[in-house]
Amino acid sequence: GVDYLVLVQMPRGIPCPEEIAARADVAVHVLGSVGLSRSRNAAFDHATGALLVFADDDMTLEPEGFRALSRAFAADPALDFAAGWRSDRLPGAGPRGRRHRLHHFNAGRVCAPELIVRRSAVEAAGLRFDPEFGLGARFGLGEEYVFVTDALKAGLGGVSLPVAVGRHPSESTGDNWQRADLMRARLAMLKRVFGRWAPVMRLLYALRYRNRIGGPGRLLAFARGQVPGQPQEADAP
């Protein structure tokens, strides 16, 4: 019951091994674009199944986890999207270790390869990933958070389930809190998601992630909408 889309951006050689491309359950599409968000939008364009799962080329997926998520859709016809967890971050006890609704203040941790969506709901809402965000874009992170909050603003509903759907062998881009370009992307992400409430959210964000952002000077710069460690300037775009 699973079909695979292999989306290859700007290939330098053979986009997919012949023994894989020849499979009846595999469709290969060569894209003349770059960027994770554009790749994921192409998945919406080419997918045919009722449910769509995303994958990164450096993740190992656990199909049984996605089967568990798909059962949640079967049990709840009103469910529009659901998120599992990477196995190394699967919570134990506590609220996050139980099924819970996703909202603006707890969806920031969702990574696209943990996400499964009901394609008809996304299509009806006219949703797509914002190509300004994500690897290969102007702002190199935050595309999943922007997408999920856009879905919430459009009236879609989603849940998080304590289900392992895969593992990531190396540090994610979102775990880097020192690179200036990624800090600028975080500021832009908060402005994109919260609009006029972004100044308040920058302050809350700085307090929550103070150990990652750094010392008082870096925290103050971030709260002001400035890139920590860089010459002071106006609010981030």
Side-chain angles (χ1 to χ4, degrees):
V2 178
D3 293 321
Y4 299 90
L5 286 173
V6 179
L7 304 170
V8 188
Q9 294 179 305
M10 308 293 286
R12 293 189 178 92
I14 298 174
C16 183
E18 291 183 6
E19 62 271 22
I20 295 177
R23 286 172 45 165
D25 58 351
V26 172
V28 180
H29 296 275
V30 175
L31 308 179
S33 64
V34 296
L36 272 181
S37 289
R38 287 187 170 88
S39 173
R40 289 168 183 162
N41 289 339
F44 283 120
D45 295 336
H46 295 292
T48 57
L51 301 176
L52 178 60
V53 173
F54 301 97
D56 284 349
D57 60 0
D58 60 349
M59 276 195 73
T60 300
L61 301 181
E62 298 181 16
E64 185 52 43
F66 285 109
R67 292 190 188 99
L69 294 183
S70 70
R71 289 193 289 271
F73 284 86
D76 183 0
L79 182 62
D80 300 311
F81 60 94
W85 295 79
R86 280 171 282 176
S87 57
D88 58 313
R89 298 190 177 188
L90 186 66
R96 297 204 305 173
R98 301 188 294 269
R99 175 182 173 130
H100 58 273
R101 301 293 295 184
L102 288 168
H103 52 71
H104 280 62
F105 300 104
N106 68 2
R109 68 92 192 155
V110 173
C111 180
E114 303 166 1
L115 187 64
I116 181 170
V117 303
R118 193 185 300 275
R119 201 166 55 84
S120 60
V122 172
E123 295 291 344
L127 290 172
R128 287 293 187 270
F129 283 85
D130 188 333
E132 286 285 282
F133 291 86
L135 286 175
R138 180 185 181 193
F139 302 114
L141 50 71
E143 72 278 11
E144 296 99 344
Y145 189 38
V146 170
F147 177 81
V148 169
T149 53
D150 279 353
L152 295 171
K153 293 172 187 175
L156 274 60
V159 298
S160 175
L161 296 170
V163 173
V165 296
R167 58 186 183 275
H168 201 277
S170 57
E171 182 182 64
S172 294
T173 305
D175 293 327
N176 190 311
W177 291 79
Q178 301 305 312
R179 279 174 44 184
D181 62 325
L182 296 181
M183 295 303 285
R184 177 178 292 279
R186 286 187 175 90
L187 293 170
M189 176 190 72
L190 292 175
K191 189 168 185 177
R192 171 69 167 74
V193 170
F194 292 101
R196 63 190 180 93
W197 292 101
V200 175
M201 297 310 303
R202 288 198 305 264
L203 177 59
L204 295 176
Y205 210 80
L207 292 174
R208 180 176 181 180
Y209 296 106
R210 58 189 178 276
N211 292 333
R212 299 184 183 184
I213 294 175
R218 290 178 60 85
L219 289 173
L220 182 59
F222 188 89
R224 287 176 172 173
Q226 299 161 342
V227 179
Q230 298 295 301
Q232 302 306 302
E233 52 190 53
D235 275 4

